[in-house]
Amino acid sequence: MKNALISVITVVYNARPTLESTIQSVLCQDKNLVEYWIIDGGSTDGSIDLIRKYEHQLAGWCSEPDNGIYDAMNKGIDRANGKWIYFLGGDDTLRPNVLKQIEPYLDPKYSIVFGDVMFDNGHRMRSFLGPRTIFQNTVHHQSAFYNSSLFVNFRYDKSLTIVSEYDVHLRLYIQKAYTRYVSMIVADCATGGASSELSKSLTETNQVRARYIKNKWKNKLLSCFLRLYYIQKKIRYLIYGHRV
C-alpha cells in the first residue's frame, strides 16, 4: 500500500515457534491502515516457509544475512512507505484492533506517539519521555509509532546491539519534540529479550548518552547510578524469578 498510514516492520531471525502469532496479529488489523514488511536475517529454522505462507498479504519481505537487529531495522525503514513506522518483534504480538484505536492520535505534528506494553509475566510497562530519559531509555520500542520524517536523515547505529533506539528517544526529549502518550496497551511482549542483557545495556546506554550530554562528570554520575539500578534489577530477578 503506497498510501498506508502505518508501516509495520518485523525483524526476525530463527523465531519459527512465535513468528506465526506475530504475523497474524498484524494481518488481523484494519487492512486500510497498514502495510507489513518482514526482514529476516537468513533464518534456518523454517521461518522462511512460514513467511512464504503469508507473503501474498505482505507489502514485501527479504531474507539475507545482516549485521544485527538495527541493520535489519534500517532495511525495513528503507522499504517503508507509511507516514508512521512501527517495529514489532518476532516474539511479540499487537493487541487486536490497536492500529484502529491509535489512528486518531497519529497527528503529523507529533514526532512519536506511544503507549504501553504488557509483558508475559504480567508487568505493564508505561513508556514516557521525561527527565529520567537522560538517565536511561524510557520508551519501549513495541509501544511506539514513529513519524517517518524522523528517518529522512537518520538510521539506527549498527555498531550498537541493543539500545540504538535510545538515540532517537533521548534526542527527541532534549530537542523538546512534540510527542504524545496514549494510555493503551499496544503490544504483548516476551520477557528476556536483548535489552535484558544488563551489562551490555549499561555500556551502550552510557555510550549513547555521551553523544548528547557533554559534561563528563554528569555522565560519570549518571553511569554510577545506572549501574546501581541494574544491580537492584539483578537482585529482584534472583528473588522473584522474572525479568523485564
Side-chain angles (χ1 to χ4, degrees):
M1 292 181 59
K2 292 297 182 182
N3 298 313
L5 178 65
I6 304 166
S7 295
V8 176
I9 299 168
T10 290
V11 168
V12 63
Y13 178 70
N14 284 347
R16 177 63 179 82
T18 58
L19 181 57
E20 187 158 28
S21 294
T22 299
I23 294 173
Q24 290 176 349
S25 78
V26 178
L27 296 181
C28 74
Q29 303 291 322
D30 188 327
K31 291 178 172 55
N32 294 316
L33 295 177
V34 62
E35 63 165 21
Y36 190 25
W37 296 89
I38 299 180
I39 311 298
D40 180 82
S43 292
T44 58
D45 67 341
S47 293
I48 303 303
D49 293 333
L50 181 59
I51 295 169
R52 287 197 175 105
K53 174 182 174 181
Y54 292 97
E55 66 180 349
H56 65 288
Q57 299 181 67
L58 305 177
W61 67 281
C62 69
S63 180
E64 60 189 19
D66 53 52
N67 293 316
I69 185 172
Y70 295 110
D71 182 31
M73 288 167 61
N74 287 338
K75 292 178 182 180
I77 293 168
D78 291 340
R79 290 164 169 79
N81 301 299
K83 296 179 176 65
W84 294 83
I85 293 178
Y86 175 85
F87 299 97
L88 183 68
D91 55 357
D92 305 317
T93 55
L94 282 172
R95 282 288 173 104
N97 206 37
V98 72
L99 299 188
K100 189 67 175 177
Q101 294 169 20
I102 203 74
E103 179 189 11
Y105 302 99
L106 298 180
D107 191 305
K109 66 186 177 184
Y110 297 123
S111 295
I112 182 175
V113 176
F114 50 86
D116 302 339
V117 299
M118 182 69 76
F119 287 100
D120 56 15
N121 61 14
H123 172 70
R124 178 171 176 167
M125 176 184 169
R126 173 179 173 175
S127 294
F128 62 93
L129 287 173
R132 185 175 168 181
T133 307
I134 296 177
F135 180 61
Q136 66 174 156
N137 188 30
T138 55
V139 176
H140 196 287
H141 234 164
Q142 269 73 230
S143 77
F145 296 80
Y146 299 89
N147 193 314
S148 60
S149 63
L150 290 174
F151 301 103
V152 171
N153 296 306
F154 174 85
R155 289 295 184 271
Y156 289 103
D157 184 349
K158 295 183 290 185
S159 71
L160 301 174
T161 57
I162 55 178
V163 300
S164 192
E165 65 270 22
Y166 180 44
D167 197 324
V168 180
H169 304 152
L170 181 56
R171 176 162 49 89
L172 290 175
Y173 173 69
I174 289 175
Q175 293 177 348
K176 296 181 171 56
Y178 207 21
T179 66
R180 177 68 186 261
Y181 166 74
V182 182
S183 182
M184 71 171 64
I185 297 173
V186 176
D188 294 286
C189 299
T191 55
S195 60
S196 67
E197 299 176 28
L198 299 183
S199 178
K200 188 176 292 185
S201 178
L202 173 65
T203 300
E204 293 191 1
T205 297
N206 291 333
Q207 181 180 340
V208 171
R209 189 194 312 110
R211 298 173 181 175
Y212 298 93
I213 309 300
K214 300 304 182 182
N215 186 303
K216 181 177 67 174
W217 296 108
K218 184 175 183 179
N219 271 314
K220 284 183 177 293
L221 183 62
L222 289 170
S223 177
C224 288
F225 280 129
L226 188 60
R227 185 178 298 276
L228 291 173
Y229 173 73
Y230 280 173
I231 288 173
Q232 65 85 25
K233 284 189 73 170
K234 289 181 180 179
I235 292 173
R236 286 209 324 266
Y237 175 65
L238 291 173
I239 293 174
Y240 299 112
H242 64 74
R243 180 182 300 159
V244 171

PDB file of all heavy atoms in Angstrom, residues 69-95:
ATOM      1  N   ILE A  69      20.366  -6.532  14.589  1.00  0.00           N
ATOM      2  CA  ILE A  69      18.963  -6.126  14.574  1.00  0.00           C
ATOM      3  C   ILE A  69      18.769  -4.730  13.992  1.00  0.00           C
ATOM      4  O   ILE A  69      17.822  -4.479  13.244  1.00  0.00           O
ATOM      5  CB  ILE A  69      18.357  -6.220  15.995  1.00  0.00           C
ATOM      6  CG1 ILE A  69      16.857  -5.918  15.961  1.00  0.00           C
ATOM      7  CG2 ILE A  69      19.095  -5.319  16.965  1.00  0.00           C
ATOM      8  CD1 ILE A  69      16.163  -6.177  17.283  1.00  0.00           C
ATOM      9  N   TYR A  70      19.691  -3.811  14.265  1.00  0.00           N
ATOM     10  CA  TYR A  70      19.490  -2.443  13.788  1.00  0.00           C
ATOM     11  C   TYR A  70      19.806  -2.304  12.304  1.00  0.00           C
ATOM     12  O   TYR A  70      19.217  -1.459  11.620  1.00  0.00           O
ATOM     13  CB  TYR A  70      20.296  -1.463  14.634  1.00  0.00           C
ATOM     14  CG  TYR A  70      19.798  -1.442  16.061  1.00  0.00           C
ATOM     15  CD1 TYR A  70      20.569  -1.965  17.101  1.00  0.00           C
ATOM     16  CD2 TYR A  70      18.535  -0.946  16.368  1.00  0.00           C
ATOM     17  CE1 TYR A  70      20.091  -1.977  18.405  1.00  0.00           C
ATOM     18  CE2 TYR A  70      18.052  -0.958  17.660  1.00  0.00           C
ATOM     19  CZ  TYR A  70      18.836  -1.476  18.680  1.00  0.00           C
ATOM     20  OH  TYR A  70      18.352  -1.498  19.967  1.00  0.00           O
ATOM     21  N   ASP A  71      20.696  -3.113  11.797  1.00  0.00           N
ATOM     22  CA  ASP A  71      20.913  -3.166  10.361  1.00  0.00           C
ATOM     23  C   ASP A  71      19.633  -3.641   9.681  1.00  0.00           C
ATOM     24  O   ASP A  71      19.196  -3.073   8.665  1.00  0.00           O
ATOM     25  CB  ASP A  71      22.075  -4.111  10.049  1.00  0.00           C
ATOM     26  CG  ASP A  71      22.402  -4.174   8.567  1.00  0.00           C
ATOM     27  OD1 ASP A  71      22.206  -3.174   7.858  1.00  0.00           O
ATOM     28  OD2 ASP A  71      22.852  -5.244   8.105  1.00  0.00           O
ATOM     29  N   ALA A  72      19.007  -4.673  10.246  1.00  0.00           N
ATOM     30  CA  ALA A  72      17.761  -5.189   9.682  1.00  0.00           C
ATOM     31  C   ALA A  72      16.638  -4.151   9.780  1.00  0.00           C
ATOM     32  O   ALA A  72      15.840  -3.987   8.846  1.00  0.00           O
ATOM     33  CB  ALA A  72      17.363  -6.472  10.409  1.00  0.00           C
ATOM     34  N   MET A  73      16.568  -3.429  10.885  1.00  0.00           N
ATOM     35  CA  MET A  73      15.550  -2.394  11.029  1.00  0.00           C
ATOM     36  C   MET A  73      15.743  -1.287  10.004  1.00  0.00           C
ATOM     37  O   MET A  73      14.773  -0.758   9.441  1.00  0.00           O
ATOM     38  CB  MET A  73      15.561  -1.844  12.453  1.00  0.00           C
ATOM     39  CG  MET A  73      14.993  -2.831  13.463  1.00  0.00           C
ATOM     40  SD  MET A  73      15.303  -2.393  15.189  1.00  0.00           S
ATOM     41  CE  MET A  73      14.480  -0.833  15.315  1.00  0.00           C
ATOM     42  N   ASN A  74      16.992  -0.946   9.747  1.00  0.00           N
ATOM     43  CA  ASN A  74      17.274   0.062   8.724  1.00  0.00           C
ATOM     44  C   ASN A  74      16.803  -0.395   7.349  1.00  0.00           C
ATOM     45  O   ASN A  74      16.309   0.400   6.544  1.00  0.00           O
ATOM     46  CB  ASN A  74      18.765   0.385   8.694  1.00  0.00           C
ATOM     47  CG  ASN A  74      19.217   1.199   9.889  1.00  0.00           C
ATOM     48  OD1 ASN A  74      18.417   1.867  10.550  1.00  0.00           O
ATOM     49  ND2 ASN A  74      20.507   1.155  10.183  1.00  0.00           N
ATOM     50  N   LYS A  75      16.959  -1.683   7.065  1.00  0.00           N
ATOM     51  CA  LYS A  75      16.465  -2.217   5.789  1.00  0.00           C
ATOM     52  C   LYS A  75      14.953  -2.060   5.700  1.00  0.00           C
ATOM     53  O   LYS A  75      14.412  -1.761   4.623  1.00  0.00           O
ATOM     54  CB  LYS A  75      16.849  -3.691   5.653  1.00  0.00           C
ATOM     55  CG  LYS A  75      18.334  -3.948   5.502  1.00  0.00           C
ATOM     56  CD  LYS A  75      18.610  -5.448   5.412  1.00  0.00           C
ATOM     57  CE  LYS A  75      20.105  -5.729   5.311  1.00  0.00           C
ATOM     58  NZ  LYS A  75      20.389  -7.183   5.230  1.00  0.00           N
ATOM     59  N   GLY A  76      14.283  -2.267   6.819  1.00  0.00           N
ATOM     60  CA  GLY A  76      12.833  -2.085   6.834  1.00  0.00           C
ATOM     61  C   GLY A  76      12.449  -0.635   6.600  1.00  0.00           C
ATOM     62  O   GLY A  76      11.507  -0.340   5.851  1.00  0.00           O
ATOM     63  N   ILE A  77      13.164   0.278   7.234  1.00  0.00           N
ATOM     64  CA  ILE A  77      12.900   1.709   7.048  1.00  0.00           C
ATOM     65  C   ILE A  77      13.071   2.097   5.584  1.00  0.00           C
ATOM     66  O   ILE A  77      12.280   2.870   5.017  1.00  0.00           O
ATOM     67  CB  ILE A  77      13.843   2.549   7.935  1.00  0.00           C
ATOM     68  CG1 ILE A  77      13.504   2.336   9.416  1.00  0.00           C
ATOM     69  CG2 ILE A  77      13.741   4.028   7.584  1.00  0.00           C
ATOM     70  CD1 ILE A  77      14.547   2.897  10.361  1.00  0.00           C
ATOM     71  N   ASP A  78      14.112   1.553   4.946  1.00  0.00           N
ATOM     72  CA  ASP A  78      14.369   1.863   3.540  1.00  0.00           C
ATOM     73  C   ASP A  78      13.213   1.440   2.642  1.00  0.00           C
ATOM     74  O   ASP A  78      13.001   2.033   1.569  1.00  0.00           O
ATOM     75  CB  ASP A  78      15.649   1.170   3.071  1.00  0.00           C
ATOM     76  CG  ASP A  78      16.899   1.747   3.708  1.00  0.00           C
ATOM     77  OD1 ASP A  78      16.856   2.875   4.208  1.00  0.00           O
ATOM     78  OD2 ASP A  78      17.937   1.040   3.717  1.00  0.00           O
ATOM     79  N   ARG A  79      12.457   0.442   3.049  1.00  0.00           N
ATOM     80  CA  ARG A  79      11.372  -0.081   2.229  1.00  0.00           C
ATOM     81  C   ARG A  79      10.015   0.538   2.584  1.00  0.00           C
ATOM     82  O   ARG A  79       9.086   0.495   1.768  1.00  0.00           O
ATOM     83  CB  ARG A  79      11.283  -1.604   2.400  1.00  0.00           C
ATOM     84  CG  ARG A  79      12.446  -2.363   1.770  1.00  0.00           C
ATOM     85  CD  ARG A  79      12.510  -3.801   2.294  1.00  0.00           C
ATOM     86  NE  ARG A  79      13.436  -4.626   1.524  1.00  0.00           N
ATOM     87  CZ  ARG A  79      14.762  -4.604   1.670  1.00  0.00           C
ATOM     88  NH1 ARG A  79      15.319  -3.786   2.558  1.00  0.00           N
ATOM     89  NH2 ARG A  79      15.530  -5.392   0.936  1.00  0.00           N
ATOM     90  N   ALA A  80       9.890   1.085   3.762  1.00  0.00           N
ATOM     91  CA  ALA A  80       8.588   1.516   4.275  1.00  0.00           C
ATOM     92  C   ALA A  80       8.028   2.714   3.503  1.00  0.00           C
ATOM     93  O   ALA A  80       8.759   3.632   3.137  1.00  0.00           O
ATOM     94  CB  ALA A  80       8.716   1.873   5.753  1.00  0.00           C
ATOM     95  N   ASN A  81       6.723   2.694   3.296  1.00  0.00           N
ATOM     96  CA  ASN A  81       6.019   3.782   2.615  1.00  0.00           C
ATOM     97  C   ASN A  81       5.079   4.549   3.531  1.00  0.00           C
ATOM     98  O   ASN A  81       4.535   5.580   3.136  1.00  0.00           O
ATOM     99  CB  ASN A  81       5.189   3.217   1.452  1.00  0.00           C
ATOM    100  CG  ASN A  81       6.039   2.483   0.435  1.00  0.00           C
ATOM    101  OD1 ASN A  81       6.917   3.069  -0.174  1.00  0.00           O
ATOM    102  ND2 ASN A  81       5.781   1.186   0.266  1.00  0.00           N
ATOM    103  N   GLY A  82       4.844   4.035   4.728  1.00  0.00           N
ATOM    104  CA  GLY A  82       3.849   4.626   5.608  1.00  0.00           C
ATOM    105  C   GLY A  82       4.267   5.971   6.180  1.00  0.00           C
ATOM    106  O   GLY A  82       5.455   6.291   6.268  1.00  0.00           O
ATOM    107  N   LYS A  83       3.262   6.728   6.613  1.00  0.00           N
ATOM    108  CA  LYS A  83       3.526   8.006   7.285  1.00  0.00           C
ATOM    109  C   LYS A  83       4.064   7.788   8.687  1.00  0.00           C
ATOM    110  O   LYS A  83       4.708   8.665   9.275  1.00  0.00           O
ATOM    111  CB  LYS A  83       2.249   8.842   7.329  1.00  0.00           C
ATOM    112  CG  LYS A  83       1.724   9.259   5.963  1.00  0.00           C
ATOM    113  CD  LYS A  83       0.437  10.064   6.101  1.00  0.00           C
ATOM    114  CE  LYS A  83      -0.064  10.568   4.747  1.00  0.00           C
ATOM    115  NZ  LYS A  83      -0.462   9.457   3.859  1.00  0.00           N
ATOM    116  N   TRP A  84       3.796   6.600   9.236  1.00  0.00           N
ATOM    117  CA  TRP A  84       4.278   6.226  10.560  1.00  0.00           C
ATOM    118  C   TRP A  84       4.938   4.864  10.472  1.00  0.00           C
ATOM    119  O   TRP A  84       4.533   4.015   9.679  1.00  0.00           O
ATOM    120  CB  TRP A  84       3.116   6.183  11.568  1.00  0.00           C
ATOM    121  CG  TRP A  84       2.522   7.533  11.796  1.00  0.00           C
ATOM    122  CD1 TRP A  84       1.578   8.155  11.029  1.00  0.00           C
ATOM    123  CD2 TRP A  84       2.857   8.443  12.845  1.00  0.00           C
ATOM    124  NE1 TRP A  84       1.302   9.398  11.534  1.00  0.00           N
ATOM    125  CE2 TRP A  84       2.063   9.602  12.655  1.00  0.00           C
ATOM    126  CE3 TRP A  84       3.733   8.402  13.926  1.00  0.00           C
ATOM    127  CZ2 TRP A  84       2.138  10.704  13.511  1.00  0.00           C
ATOM    128  CZ3 TRP A  84       3.806   9.492  14.782  1.00  0.00           C
ATOM    129  CH2 TRP A  84       3.015  10.629  14.570  1.00  0.00           C
ATOM    130  N   ILE A  85       5.948   4.648  11.299  1.00  0.00           N
ATOM    131  CA  ILE A  85       6.689   3.388  11.288  1.00  0.00           C
ATOM    132  C   ILE A  85       6.611   2.759  12.675  1.00  0.00           C
ATOM    133  O   ILE A  85       6.813   3.430  13.698  1.00  0.00           O
ATOM    134  CB  ILE A  85       8.156   3.618  10.879  1.00  0.00           C
ATOM    135  CG1 ILE A  85       8.215   4.070   9.416  1.00  0.00           C
ATOM    136  CG2 ILE A  85       8.986   2.355  11.085  1.00  0.00           C
ATOM    137  CD1 ILE A  85       9.606   4.381   8.904  1.00  0.00           C
ATOM    138  N   TYR A  86       6.320   1.478  12.677  1.00  0.00           N
ATOM    139  CA  TYR A  86       6.180   0.724  13.931  1.00  0.00           C
ATOM    140  C   TYR A  86       6.962  -0.576  13.806  1.00  0.00           C
ATOM    141  O   TYR A  86       6.859  -1.277  12.797  1.00  0.00           O
ATOM    142  CB  TYR A  86       4.709   0.423  14.217  1.00  0.00           C
ATOM    143  CG  TYR A  86       4.498  -0.440  15.430  1.00  0.00           C
ATOM    144  CD1 TYR A  86       4.443   0.116  16.704  1.00  0.00           C
ATOM    145  CD2 TYR A  86       4.379  -1.823  15.306  1.00  0.00           C
ATOM    146  CE1 TYR A  86       4.280  -0.685  17.824  1.00  0.00           C
ATOM    147  CE2 TYR A  86       4.210  -2.629  16.412  1.00  0.00           C
ATOM    148  CZ  TYR A  86       4.161  -2.057  17.669  1.00  0.00           C
ATOM    149  OH  TYR A  86       4.011  -2.853  18.780  1.00  0.00           O
ATOM    150  N   PHE A  87       7.741  -0.914  14.840  1.00  0.00           N
ATOM    151  CA  PHE A  87       8.539  -2.130  14.848  1.00  0.00           C
ATOM    152  C   PHE A  87       7.932  -3.158  15.806  1.00  0.00           C
ATOM    153  O   PHE A  87       7.657  -2.841  16.963  1.00  0.00           O
ATOM    154  CB  PHE A  87       9.975  -1.823  15.287  1.00  0.00           C
ATOM    155  CG  PHE A  87      10.691  -0.864  14.377  1.00  0.00           C
ATOM    156  CD1 PHE A  87      10.765   0.487  14.679  1.00  0.00           C
ATOM    157  CD2 PHE A  87      11.284  -1.310  13.203  1.00  0.00           C
ATOM    158  CE1 PHE A  87      11.416   1.378  13.843  1.00  0.00           C
ATOM    159  CE2 PHE A  87      11.936  -0.427  12.362  1.00  0.00           C
ATOM    160  CZ  PHE A  87      12.004   0.921  12.678  1.00  0.00           C
ATOM    161  N   LEU A  88       7.737  -4.371  15.305  1.00  0.00           N
ATOM    162  CA  LEU A  88       7.169  -5.442  16.106  1.00  0.00           C
ATOM    163  C   LEU A  88       8.101  -6.643  16.075  1.00  0.00           C
ATOM    164  O   LEU A  88       8.405  -7.176  15.013  1.00  0.00           O
ATOM    165  CB  LEU A  88       5.794  -5.844  15.563  1.00  0.00           C
ATOM    166  CG  LEU A  88       5.045  -6.910  16.362  1.00  0.00           C
ATOM    167  CD1 LEU A  88       4.624  -6.370  17.722  1.00  0.00           C
ATOM    168  CD2 LEU A  88       3.814  -7.391  15.583  1.00  0.00           C
ATOM    169  N   GLY A  89       8.560  -7.066  17.255  1.00  0.00           N
ATOM    170  CA  GLY A  89       9.479  -8.198  17.345  1.00  0.00           C
ATOM    171  C   GLY A  89       8.833  -9.510  16.937  1.00  0.00           C
ATOM    172  O   GLY A  89       7.611  -9.673  16.987  1.00  0.00           O
ATOM    173  N   GLY A  90       9.664 -10.470  16.557  1.00  0.00           N
ATOM    174  CA  GLY A  90       9.184 -11.762  16.091  1.00  0.00           C
ATOM    175  C   GLY A  90       8.646 -12.665  17.174  1.00  0.00           C
ATOM    176  O   GLY A  90       8.155 -13.759  16.881  1.00  0.00           O
ATOM    177  N   ASP A  91       8.710 -12.228  18.439  1.00  0.00           N
ATOM    178  CA  ASP A  91       8.079 -12.984  19.517  1.00  0.00           C
ATOM    179  C   ASP A  91       7.082 -12.112  20.285  1.00  0.00           C
ATOM    180  O   ASP A  91       6.734 -12.405  21.429  1.00  0.00           O
ATOM    181  CB  ASP A  91       9.121 -13.573  20.471  1.00  0.00           C
ATOM    182  CG  ASP A  91      10.061 -12.524  21.037  1.00  0.00           C
ATOM    183  OD1 ASP A  91       9.956 -11.351  20.651  1.00  0.00           O
ATOM    184  OD2 ASP A  91      10.914 -12.888  21.878  1.00  0.00           O
ATOM    185  N   ASP A  92       6.616 -11.039  19.632  1.00  0.00           N
ATOM    186  CA  ASP A  92       5.646 -10.124  20.228  1.00  0.00           C
ATOM    187  C   ASP A  92       4.396 -10.067  19.356  1.00  0.00           C
ATOM    188  O   ASP A  92       4.433 -10.440  18.180  1.00  0.00           O
ATOM    189  CB  ASP A  92       6.247  -8.721  20.371  1.00  0.00           C
ATOM    190  CG  ASP A  92       7.555  -8.729  21.149  1.00  0.00           C
ATOM    191  OD1 ASP A  92       7.613  -9.430  22.177  1.00  0.00           O
ATOM    192  OD2 ASP A  92       8.515  -8.077  20.716  1.00  0.00           O
ATOM    193  N   THR A  93       3.299  -9.573  19.905  1.00  0.00           N
ATOM    194  CA  THR A  93       2.047  -9.506  19.155  1.00  0.00           C
ATOM    195  C   THR A  93       1.343  -8.177  19.413  1.00  0.00           C
ATOM    196  O   THR A  93       1.356  -7.660  20.533  1.00  0.00           O
ATOM    197  CB  THR A  93       1.086 -10.650  19.529  1.00  0.00           C
ATOM    198  OG1 THR A  93       0.858 -10.637  20.947  1.00  0.00           O
ATOM    199  CG2 THR A  93       1.648 -12.001  19.119  1.00  0.00           C
ATOM    200  N   LEU A  94       0.727  -7.646  18.371  1.00  0.00           N
ATOM    201  CA  LEU A  94      -0.118  -6.467  18.511  1.00  0.00           C
ATOM    202  C   LEU A  94      -1.435  -6.842  19.180  1.00  0.00           C
ATOM    203  O   LEU A  94      -1.974  -7.939  18.960  1.00  0.00           O
ATOM    204  CB  LEU A  94      -0.422  -5.864  17.141  1.00  0.00           C
ATOM    205  CG  LEU A  94       0.669  -5.030  16.472  1.00  0.00           C
ATOM    206  CD1 LEU A  94       0.250  -4.698  15.042  1.00  0.00           C
ATOM    207  CD2 LEU A  94       0.947  -3.758  17.256  1.00  0.00           C
ATOM    208  N   ARG A  95      -1.952  -5.929  19.982  1.00  0.00           N
ATOM    209  CA  ARG A  95      -3.285  -6.119  20.545  1.00  0.00           C
ATOM    210  C   ARG A  95      -4.328  -6.015  19.419  1.00  0.00           C
ATOM    211  O   ARG A  95      -4.166  -5.234  18.479  1.00  0.00           O
ATOM    212  CB  ARG A  95      -3.566  -5.065  21.609  1.00  0.00           C
ATOM    213  CG  ARG A  95      -2.885  -5.340  22.966  1.00  0.00           C
ATOM    214  CD  ARG A  95      -3.559  -6.498  23.654  1.00  0.00           C
ATOM    215  NE  ARG A  95      -2.879  -6.939  24.865  1.00  0.00           N
ATOM    216  CZ  ARG A  95      -3.299  -6.663  26.110  1.00  0.00           C
ATOM    217  NH1 ARG A  95      -4.371  -5.906  26.295  1.00  0.00           N
ATOM    218  NH2 ARG A  95      -2.664  -7.152  27.146  1.00  0.00           N
TER     219      ARG A  95
END
